[in-house]
Amino acid sequence: MKFSNKLIKAKFIKRYKRFFSDHILEDGKLVTAHCPITGAMTGVAKEGITSWLSPSNNPKRKLKWTWELTQETNTIVGVNTHSPNKIIQE
């Protein structure tokens, strides 16, 4: 799927308060991203797993980042619940 912004690779650290997740970018910077899924995310929110984040330039947003995908070995799971319809359309 083509995302509006280039996805940035990171390592997932933790998720908290339903909508917040911490990730470490490849340059070592710790960022907090919006987590679109409010459910348990059992199996896809493991510490150290590869995550893919999209940046936002919208100054009105509380968080600059959105958690889009998670990846374990060759399996990629969509985290952003707004993406499935776009993926199917493509």
Side-chain angles (χ1 to χ4, degrees):
M1 179 182 147
K2 296 175 186 165
F3 290 88
S4 55
N5 290 322
K6 182 181 175 186
L7 297 185
I8 306 299
K9 188 176 181 180
K11 289 285 180 198
F12 172 75
I13 303 300
K14 67 179 178 178
R15 179 176 170 228
Y16 52 99
K17 294 185 182 178
R18 287 178 54 192
F19 295 105
F20 295 94
S21 57
D22 286 343
H23 306 260
I24 296 180
L25 302 179
E26 289 187 308
D27 66 3
K29 181 179 177 184
L30 176 67
V31 297
T32 300
H34 171 70
C35 179
I37 294 180
T38 59
M41 296 180 63
T42 306
V44 297
K46 299 176 191 172
E47 185 178 348
I49 198 166
T50 299
S51 55
W52 294 90
L53 310 176
S54 64
S56 173
N57 295 324
N58 183 347
K60 294 182 180 181
R61 281 190 55 158
K62 291 183 181 182
L63 298 173
K64 177 182 176 178
W65 301 92
T66 299
W67 187 7
E68 299 287 349
L69 305 169
T70 187
Q71 180 178 357
E72 186 171 31
T73 51
N74 293 328
T75 304
I76 298 174
V77 177
V79 173
N80 191 338
T81 56
H82 297 86
S83 298
N85 290 340
K86 294 175 189 173
I87 292 170
I88 296 301
Q89 282 179 341
E90 279 190 29

